[in-house]
Amino acid sequence: MSILHAGGLLKQLRRIRAPRRPWPDSRGLCSVPDRLLARIERVCHRISTNASILERHGDDESYHPALPPDVVAFAHSTEEVQAIVRLCAETRTPLIPFGTGTSLEGHIQAVRGGVCLDLSEMNQVLQLHPDDMDCRVQAGVTRVALNAELRATGLSFPFDPGADASLGGMVATGASGTNSVKYGTMRGNTLGLTAVLADGSVVSTGGRARKSSAGYDLTSLLVGSEGTLAVITEAQLRLHPIPAAVSAATCTFPSLAQAGAAVAALLQCGVPLSRAELLDGTTVAAFNAYAPDVADLDVAPTLFLEFEGVSEEAVRALASVSQECCSDHAGAGFQWATSESERRRLWAARHATYYAALALRPGSRGIVTDAVVPLSSLAQVMVDTANDVRSSGVIGPIFGHAGDGNFHCILLVRKDDPPEYVAMLQGINDRLIERTLAVGGSCTGEHGIGIGKKKWLAREFGDGAVSMMRTIKQALDPLGILNPGKVVDA
Amino acid sequence: MSILHAGGLLKQLRRIRAPRRPWPDSRGLCSVPDRLLARIERVCHRISTNASILERHGDDESYHPALPPDVVAFAHSTEEVQAIVRLCAETRTPLIPFGTGTSLEGHIQAVRGGVCLDLSEMNQVLQLHPDDMDCRVQAGVTRVALNAELRATGLSFPFDPGADASLGGMVATGASGTNSVKYGTMRGNTLGLTAVLADGSVVSTGGRARKSSAGYDLTSLLVGSEGTLAVITEAQLRLHPIPAAVSAATCTFPSLAQAGAAVAALLQCGVPLSRAELLDGTTVAAFNAYAPDVADLDVAPTLFLEFEGVSEEAVRALASVSQECCSDHAGAGFQWATSESERRRLWAARHATYYAALALRPGSRGIVTDAVVPLSSLAQVMVDTANDVRSSGVIGPIFGHAGDGNFHCILLVRKDDPPEYVAMLQGINDRLIERTLAVGGSCTGEHGIGIGKKKWLAREFGDGAVSMMRTIKQALDPLGILNPGKVVDA
């Protein structure tokens, strides 16, 4: 549980003022004078300028340096958000929406200071409709908290980006995770949003219909907009039935290429995989070292597969076709895990991958790449990246959501690393994205642009699309107060 | 094959000038003077002002009166589209993109005259990547033509809105159809677009990645924008494997409510239905009368179900769970169709529903409602609508894509019907949408807003969202030249 949920401590910390940080003022945005602080406090009641709170709110889980805001306001309602946005608009003060701070591209860094709007106390599940398999949540509800509420319904919110992120943050980032090959991403599972625009107006972008062709798709426009177009305060989300039968398996391959080909073949056969994770040998070794009590895997390119079905019989049918398909691509050592405890152990291991990778160089944070390529290019791009990592003389485990063509390479960086070392790691990332764009891929599948990938946006889409994004940003946020410096520069 | 594809005839028709229709000029948009016609012809070469061509291009398949454009230009490339858009921008001339003219809400009606930009001759499949299950098409390729190209690949483009619509039109309308319960809609299956903006700039909104969090989702913004934000010239689309095994079934129920509950239960059990169509008794009777050689169904609320799987065994497992589930909700008379010929017969019958409905009142067109409600409300809204239809003394078969909560009521209208009669039918539609919005639904699931549902947009979303749509429209099309009068008024 994060410090922000420890109500008692938080209460003591509120109103404790830290020394004000100087604020770059290049765009004519004013700093936060005491008079504005007092006005924010009047509409919101819970604000803090305590140094450690500011520090925590200007630092995500990435390698990007922390840039704390000038003040943190803890909103409790859409009306409070609206009032704060209006004050920021009036005074041209930057405003940065904040969920749990688990993003990976500097999304919450206060590059121009301003007000961090913490939504973590807007944590109510507002509606739950089990018969319709949808729910309405406030932005600060986390995915684990939502699933706890769903326990008695037979339904789940299956999207799992790793961290226990807030649902508002997951919407704003366009998050997904290991099972998007079956369930899609936040984009396809967000039915509607309540959001506050830069002028303080409140919009409702969709209702409970499972599909709609009514007007412009404002929901999809806000999904992945990273707090730069609006502050999301509520989300209507699709839920999914917990499958009656599940089976997981691991299978090793002589090469990444063969493992990648096996996944492509499974999808071409129409096997409804619910997960297809591909780990390279380095990752498997990191894994065994990190959790020797649970993991004892052969050090080789390995597929983690999961199948879901309406019955044991349905799952067995999928499993049998899949085993055959993997064998055709030289897959061997098929190990099945059908009991829940076995599957939990397997996936706990897979989910520990990130921390296993960090443990390879203690004290590190990761530059976590998340490129997406067409399926047929996945193995080659992974192999080329692994060669680049090896020839650069660093450790960089590679694993990914093979069913989407989305993979991560974790490049380990420490605060005290010399600039040349960091630049060398950035070079690996840059070449990886070059390779990705050369085959028609995307520089980010689920982490977003933030400040870390801005330079790649025009390379991926061309100037026309980035200019169109800028036109939309300027139309919806003409003063540039919403999370300035992220995604596109106004 | 439509007249537009009959190249020989078309050539003769080109340049034949029809008498110019007077043009309402309330927004200061000029009419098309000869000088502009000559300039359009210079950049595009294929234009027509022949009366029958104009008439056909101002009339979709809906009940809305035809409003022909002043000239039709047949574009062959993105560059030609760009040149025509630039001319229209320079002269503030309305421009209406046209695919096959099969839309249902007056999308192509030239409410302010201007240039109809016919994209049907941009009909090339530009790229086909079977291994990655995606393709790139020009906007004028129709779904049947694409599937013909895919024949040897084991893949299909499964989306079927009924008509053989152009893919650009399907993107622009946010179309779907009977199998969106499994495959989603055009929104989730359009990876990227090439489009020409109102200022003549060309944007590329996405590549070949199966998911992306890179910047604002311009693709989703253009999907369903009905030609009002940009002219779509190319689309990158997802393809899907043709399933190894398919099984279809019909099952009758004592009431619509029980049939609706059965569908909800199937989805809650996680049965991966590929179609779940619900027909009321009137529709089944229309059906039997329209196609007595193929249809001999019990006149009762009927579910058409379809299951797809990797093997006969997998499909059998689904079928067995489903039959049990339907029986629990008083479903009876389960009839299976596993051979392809039987299934074709069954679905040909289902697809004939619209024409079967029209045949109930010869010479009619349909006011085709397409509301979407949460699953648990579907049966009640269908029953209330059926009662309203009955008490109004008209015939209005009701059927729908029950897995999405999307249903159609076909209200039959003739050109010579008195205004009071048409108003009475509109009243049924209005009350249907009122009922839909009261339960959090959407006024349109797949037909779009066009001119026919504009009044419902603010009722569905509230003024805030419509004002946000207007802001986007004004930012991207400040002169209001792109398909004016549709979706939102600038």
Side-chain angles (χ1 to χ4, degrees), chain A residues 132 208 212 216 228 376 440 442, chain B residues 132 208 212 216 228 376 440 442:
Chain A
D132 299 318
R208 295 182 53 219
S212 173
Y216 306 148
T228 64
S376 64
S442 175
Chain B
D132 299 318
R208 296 183 53 219
S212 173
Y216 307 149
T228 64
S376 64
S442 175

Side-chain angles (χ1 to χ4, degrees), chain A residues 392-456:
Chain A
S392 303
V394 297
I395 302 168
I398 298 174
F399 56 94
H401 317 315
D404 306 317
N406 183 202
F407 71 100
H408 305 297
C409 171
I410 310 225
L411 299 165
L412 303 167
V413 61
R414 281 199 202 115
K415 272 198 174 146
D416 54 1
D417 280 329
E420 314 82 66
Y421 185 81
V422 180
M424 188 262 292
L425 296 183
Q426 295 279 20
I428 295 172
N429 189 11
D430 288 354
R431 289 187 292 277
L432 181 166
I433 298 177
E434 295 277 7
R435 258 174 243 126
T436 295
L437 300 185
V439 294
S442 175
C443 67
T444 172
E446 47 189 24
H447 297 169
I449 296 293
I451 52 179
K453 293 212 182 82
K454 275 164 68 180
K455 73 169 173 176
W456 292 108

Side-chain angles (χ1 to χ4, degrees), chain A residues 131-132 173-174 176 180 187 204-205 208 211-213 216-217 228 241 268 375-376 404 406 440 442 444-446 461 465, chain B residues 131-132 173-174 176 180 187 205 208 211-213 216-217 228 241 268 375-376 404 406 440 442 444-446 461 465:
Chain A
D131 288 350
D132 299 318
T173 316
S176 47
S180 58
R187 225 177 276 290
S204 167
T205 68
R208 295 182 53 219
K211 69 180 187 188
S212 173
S213 293
Y216 306 148
D217 187 356
T228 64
Q268 279 163 31
L375 297 175
S376 64
D404 306 317
N406 183 202
S442 175
T444 172
E446 47 189 24
F461 291 101
Chain B
D131 289 350
D132 299 318
T173 316
S176 47
S180 59
R187 225 178 275 292
T205 69
R208 296 183 53 219
K211 68 181 189 188
S212 173
S213 292
Y216 307 149
D217 187 356
T228 64
Q268 279 162 31
L375 296 176
S376 64
D404 306 317
N406 183 202
S442 175
T444 172
E446 47 190 24
F461 290 101

Side-chain angles (χ1 to χ4, degrees), chain A residues 148-233:
Chain A
E149 290 255 358
L150 295 176
R151 209 161 281 155
T153 63
L155 301 172
S156 82
F157 180 76
F159 307 93
D160 176 1
D164 183 20
S166 69
L167 296 166
M170 286 174 67
V171 170
T173 316
S176 47
T178 54
N179 50 21
S180 58
V181 64
K182 174 169 181 183
Y183 295 102
T185 70
M186 290 305 288
R187 225 177 276 290
N189 288 276
T190 306
L191 297 171
L193 297 168
T194 299
V196 179
L197 299 187
D199 64 358
S201 62
V202 175
V203 297
S204 167
T205 68
R208 295 182 53 219
R210 291 167 84 81
K211 69 180 187 188
S212 173
S213 293
Y216 306 148
D217 187 356
L218 301 179
T219 305
S220 288
L221 181 63
L222 295 185
V223 175
S225 66
E226 305 183 9
T228 64
L229 298 181
V231 182
I232 293 164
T233 60

Side-chain angles (χ1 to χ4, degrees), chain A residues 132-153:
Chain A
D132 299 318
M133 298 193 284
D134 69 56
C135 68
R136 187 165 196 87
V137 298
Q138 287 186 310
V141 175
T142 69
R143 65 174 186 87
V144 170
L146 175 58
N147 278 316
E149 290 255 358
L150 295 176
R151 209 161 281 155
T153 63

